[in-house]
Structure formats: C-alpha cells, structure tokens
Amino acid sequence: MDRSGKIYVAGHRGLVGSAIVRSLKRSGYTNIVCRTHSELDLTDQSEVNKFFEEERPEYVFLAAAHVGGINANNTYPADFIYINSAIQCNVIKAAHDNKVKKLLFLGSSCIYPRLAPQPIPESALLTGPLESTNEAYAIAKISGLMMCRFFMRQYGDDFISCMPTNLYGPEDNFNLETSHVLPALIRKFDDAKKSGVDTVELWGSGSPLREFLYVDDMADACVFLMENYSGEEHVNIGTGKEITIKELAELVREIVGFEGEISWNSDMPDGTPRKLLDVSKLKGLGWQEKMGLREGIKATYDWYLSQAEEKLKK
Ligand code: GFB
C-alpha cells in the first residue's frame, strides 16, 4: 500500500476497526478516512455509493459487521444474516465500481464446519455442516469471502479475505447478553469482586476449546496481509494455541482477583466443541503474533477499569 494513499476503515469504532486504525498509524499510514454509523449507514446502498464516489478511497479494510457472542448469534439470526450480507454487498460492489486498488474483507473462524479437522486449514471451507448457534453469521461471512474471490476471478479486483479466530482487547463489547466469552468473564468476575457476591455463573459446560488472539496482533496481521498477500484463497489469522473455557475462566478469575466459586449453567449452549485454526499459511508469509494470552487479558482488564463502567455495560 502507498503510505499516502487514502484508506477507508469501515467499522473504525468497533473492536477490530479501531485496532486496524491504531495499527495503520503505527505503520506510518496517515490518510485514513472513517465514518461513524450515524454518518454512514452501510446497509443503505445509495449512501454507500455516494460515500465512495465522493471520497474515492484507494484501499479498504472491511471491518464493519454486526457481531456478538454465542447468545446474540443464536437469538437474532435474521439480524446477523441480513445486516452482514447488506454491509458487505454494498461495500464490495462500491469498491469495485470506484476502482479501489485493494480491499481486505474480515470474516470469522465460524465459517468452518462444526466438526472440521483440527487445526482447521483454509481448505476445510464448505466441507461439512456449520455450527447451528452461529450459522446465520457464518453464511453471511462465507458469502462475503466468496464475493471477494469471484470479483477477483471475474474482474481482476485485488479483493482479499482473512478469517480471524476469537478476538479480544480494548473497545470490546462488555454487555453480558451479547458479548463474547472473554469480556463477559472480565465483567462477571469484576462485578462479583466489587459487590462481594460469592458465586459467578458461566454458560455451558466449560469444556469447549477456543483460540484467542489479541486484537492489536490481529490488526497488525491485517495490515501485513494488505502489504504482502494477494490471492483468491482467504487466510486464517490466529495463534495456533487453544484453551478450554474452564481454563480460561480460571485465568481471568486469577487476573481479576475474584476468590469465590464458579457455577456452570448447562441450559446455555456450548457452541462448537473446538475451533483451532491452522495458521501455517499466515506464518509461512512471515507473520507472528506478539501478545501472550495472560498479558493480553491483563491489558484488556486494565483498559476495562480505565473506562466509565456504565458506558461499557450498555
Ligand atoms: O465467545 P462466545 O460467546 O462464542 O462463547 P463462540 C465461547 C464459549 O464460552 C461458549 C462459553 O462455549 C460459551 O458457552 N461461555 C461461558 C460464555 N460463559 C460465557 C458467558 O458468560 N458469555 C459468553 N458469551 N460465553 C462465537 C460466534 O462463537 O464466536 C460468532 O457465535 C463468532 O459467530 C465468534 O464466530 C468469534 O466462540 O461459541
């Protein structure tokens, strides 16, 4: 990417988009254009077209998405499939029409079959049934990565895709109904510690395995791919390391300093049993993450404590 080229980061207020903006600035990119949700509704095709015609970005990071944890995905599947499909259709088509030089589409490791071989290689895509709790989101994301692939194949557009594993870090969502597990654990243990409650209830059995990547590492990988990769096949982004939800809960409990008990609510879903990404393709290109899980959780907890709590809990 040209250091002074105009870069549009879609979704710059979110966990991922905000980290991409930080990473771009660290790497010396200065010409970054962003719009808040109220300034530009990405589900509105005419607004998106107008924005691209006026701003003419040369590079696009498509990090805007309707996201959530297992409960949000499972409860609101229509919103997840519709909003994500609309955003990506509008942005990818507008990028094509306005001759964007390069675009990176961000998906998710939930695009892979529920019982995919572990660690999951990129080639496992569309080889089996999806996990039901996030099927709607996964279908939208598969469609987005296929759009990039087919715009590249038919028109030669340099539109690439990456599939990050479970992410966490500053600017995450700490709402207990809709968040992912890591921010939920931080908030639940911190609330319990502060209010003197002696048991924290977590969801499912605690036995599923998950892989966690600090969002600033993921953002650096995105910038790295925009600088170093071009190809129809998507690229996994992860650490190649996994941990059970029970072990993760113990780790977060220790970092937060909650001394009470944990109970497991088996009425809540476990989701997919395991989703460890095969990251040999990304590592083969020369990328390596920096942040370990313990220090990443500490950094996220510090950030959480530094924020106005009421704002985060909305
Ligand atoms: O992070 P999470 O919500 O989503 O949940 P997924 C991961 C695991 O943590 C599940 C358990 O087994 C949950 O049952 N868990 C335990 C909790 N306690 C809690 C809690 O208090 N809150 C939450 N949220 N989970 C998502 C997909 O799947 O992963 C999305 O739904 C996306 O589509 C995202 O792909 C990365 O890892 O199961």
Side-chain angles (χ1 to χ4, degrees):
M1 285 190 296
D2 169 6
R3 283 278 182 290
S4 58
K6 190 182 270 192
I7 303 172
Y8 171 45
V9 179
H12 75 289
R13 285 257 179 102
L15 170 71
V16 170
S18 61
I20 290 175
V21 171
R22 289 195 293 276
S23 177
L24 285 168
K25 287 184 176 164
R26 274 198 303 277
S27 303
Y29 294 98
T30 49
N31 193 359
I32 303 169
V33 44
C34 302
R35 289 288 186 280
T36 63
H37 190 112
S38 58
E39 289 165 346
L40 173 61
D41 176 1
L42 293 173
T43 66
D44 183 323
Q45 191 176 24
S46 60
E47 276 192 39
V48 174
N49 289 343
K50 190 163 166 277
F51 166 76
F52 271 80
E53 280 156 21
E54 283 171 9
E55 286 290 344
R56 295 256 164 199
E58 295 167 70
Y59 307 99
V60 174
F61 288 79
L62 181 36
H66 186 70
V67 298
I70 193 166
N71 187 50
N73 270 271
N74 205 19
T75 313
Y76 308 109
D79 296 347
F80 275 81
I81 197 164
Y82 168 68
I83 298 171
N84 287 304
S85 300
I87 290 173
Q88 65 210 28
C89 271
N90 293 339
V91 173
I92 293 170
K93 180 64 163 54
H96 167 75
D97 289 344
N98 291 278
K99 304 197 169 23
V100 162
K101 288 182 186 157
K102 190 159 187 137
L103 175 146
L104 176 68
F105 172 71
L106 283 94
S108 160
S109 59
C110 70
I111 60 159
Y112 293 113
R114 172 181 163 80
L115 299 177
Q118 307 285 323
I120 313 173
E122 283 85 357
S123 58
L125 181 67
L126 295 175
T127 56
L130 296 164
E131 155 63 29
S132 65
T133 54
N134 55 36
E135 195 175 8
Y137 183 67
I139 294 279
K141 289 294 181 182
I142 293 170
S143 150
L145 87 84
M146 287 300 189
M147 269 188 85
C148 290
R149 181 176 296 183
F150 294 136
F151 272 73
M152 180 177 278
R153 193 175 297 174
Q154 185 178 337
Y155 297 111
D157 291 328
D158 197 357
F159 293 176
I160 61 172
S161 303
C162 63
M163 299 299 129
T165 191
N166 287 35
L167 304 170
Y168 70 99
E171 306 293 345
D172 210 338
N173 166 19
F174 287 82
N175 176 304
L176 293 180
E177 292 303 311
T178 57
S179 72
H180 288 98
V181 63
L182 218 152
L185 293 177
I186 289 179
R187 178 169 163 198
K188 283 183 176 179
F189 288 134
D190 187 66
D191 281 356
K193 184 176 94 172
K194 286 177 177 153
S195 61
V197 169
D198 52 16
T199 304
V200 160
E201 185 189 284
L202 301 180
W203 297 349
S205 65
S207 62
L209 285 149
R210 292 289 184 275
E211 175 185 11
F212 294 93
L213 179 65
Y214 191 66
V215 73
D216 283 276
D217 276 337
M218 197 273 332
D220 286 350
C222 289
V223 175
F224 175 85
L225 286 173
M226 282 291 265
E227 289 171 339
N228 295 291
Y229 178 75
S230 192
E232 278 192 15
E233 194 183 55
H234 56 285
V235 182
N236 289 340
I237 304 182
T239 62
K241 295 173 200 126
E242 61 187 344
I243 181 171
T244 66
I245 296 300
K246 249 185 203 145
E247 289 164 339
L248 179 76
E250 286 304 332
L251 183 58
V252 177
R253 168 163 68 170
E254 184 204 317
I255 289 166
V256 171
F258 169 67
E259 288 173 352
E261 301 294 312
I262 296 172
S263 70
W264 295 93
N265 178 354
S266 56
D267 292 338
M268 294 301 279
D270 266 346
T272 195
R274 200 177 167 201
K275 50 175 170 180
L276 178 66
L277 290 178
D278 179 340
V279 286
S280 47
K281 183 170 176 176
L282 178 64
K283 296 207 168 173
L285 290 166
W287 183 83
Q288 176 66 44
E289 81 277 3
K290 296 193 185 99
M291 189 75 107
L293 184 57
R294 177 182 287 273
E295 53 176 336
I297 295 171
K298 276 191 186 148
T300 308
Y301 185 44
D302 287 346
W303 181 85
Y304 175 78
L305 292 175
S306 74
Q307 300 298 301
E309 282 182 36
E310 292 319 310
K311 182 189 112 194
L312 292 175
K313 289 177 183 178
K314 271 182 199 153

